[in-house]
Amino acid sequence: MTFERLMPLAAVPITCVMLLSACASTAPAASHAAKAAPTMASAMAEVDAAVLAGQNDKAYAILKNAGTAFPTDKTPWVRMAQMHFDSTNYGEAIVDALEALERDPDDTLANSIVAVSGLRVTSKALSDLSQKNNLTGNVRTEAQDLAKLLRTSLNEDVLVPNNRPAAPRVKEAIRKAVGAASTARTTASSDPFGALK
């Protein structure tokens, strides 16, 4: 056999090797593409698993990646806000809730987290100021205005109920009732027909 006749026979195995290598290189790319396209539901499932395992840092990382992958979806931001709120990290809760509100201004949970977190931060700051006796001037006036606004918004006369025991108030009411009864008896004894009037 001559070299020219062996040439076509040698090309067959080379062609087979090239086809197999082409198939091998596209298979991982296809599986990589499937992994690169997660859904919000799968991200939330991963977050739930991380939270259950006590890996909150991992859960936050997954949520931030989901926020980047789905920039118009409020779900990761609301979840981060709730997690920060639950761990009493109110500043971060407000920031994340505001991100959610940029995507959906009508989200009730995000609005609630902003409001309650803000109130808790404010009440702590006011408590710290009042303990140091530095609640004077404009700060005091603003605190009073805030309390008035809260009373109006909540339709309550008293924001924080007085923690005095109820017994002195009950005793006061009894004393007044006894005093009124004795006054009525005194009036009745001086005028026997007074009760009929």
Side-chain angles (χ1 to χ4, degrees):
M1 269 199 188
T2 63
F3 181 70
E4 287 125 8
R5 286 189 186 170
L6 289 174
M7 240 353 223
L9 292 175
V12 172
I14 293 174
T15 306
C16 289
V17 169
M18 288 175 44
L19 284 174
L20 288 175
S21 66
C23 291
S25 65
T26 54
S31 67
H32 185 273
K35 289 181 183 176
T39 64
M40 183 58 71
S42 67
M44 291 300 111
E46 287 182 49
V47 169
D48 290 339
V51 169
L52 284 175
Q55 300 171 332
N56 285 348
D57 291 338
K58 181 179 178 182
Y60 286 123
I62 294 167
L63 288 167
K64 287 187 186 220
N65 288 338
T68 303
F70 304 97
T72 59
D73 197 330
K74 68 180 180 178
T75 306
W77 298 104
V78 172
R79 183 69 187 269
M80 280 190 285
Q82 184 68 58
M83 288 174 63
H84 283 301
F85 181 84
D86 291 342
S87 64
T88 67
N89 189 351
Y90 300 120
E92 290 294 322
I94 291 170
V95 170
D96 293 336
L98 289 174
E99 284 287 340
L101 290 173
E102 282 188 21
R103 288 150 179 85
D104 180 10
D106 297 327
D107 188 273
T108 305
L109 180 58
N111 276 307
S112 299
I113 289 172
V114 170
V116 175
S117 295
L119 289 172
R120 289 189 178 174
V121 168
T122 302
S123 66
K124 182 181 179 334
L126 289 174
S127 173
D128 292 346
L129 278 173
S130 66
Q131 286 178 357
K132 295 175 183 174
N133 294 323
N134 289 335
L135 193 58
T136 58
N138 289 339
V139 175
R140 182 178 184 87
T141 304
E142 287 183 33
Q144 290 170 340
D145 290 343
L146 176 62
K148 185 186 297 183
L149 176 66
L150 287 172
R151 281 194 300 271
T152 303
S153 298
L154 297 173
N155 198 21
E156 294 287 334
D157 292 334
V158 177
L159 288 177
V160 180
N162 191 350
N163 290 333
R164 287 188 331 180
R169 287 184 288 210
V170 171
K171 288 179 183 176
E172 173 96 13
I174 292 171
R175 188 181 57 77
K176 285 182 181 179
V178 169
S182 67
T183 304
R185 275 195 304 256
T186 307
T187 306
S189 63
S190 63
D191 181 13
F193 299 106
L196 298 174
K197 293 181 185 177

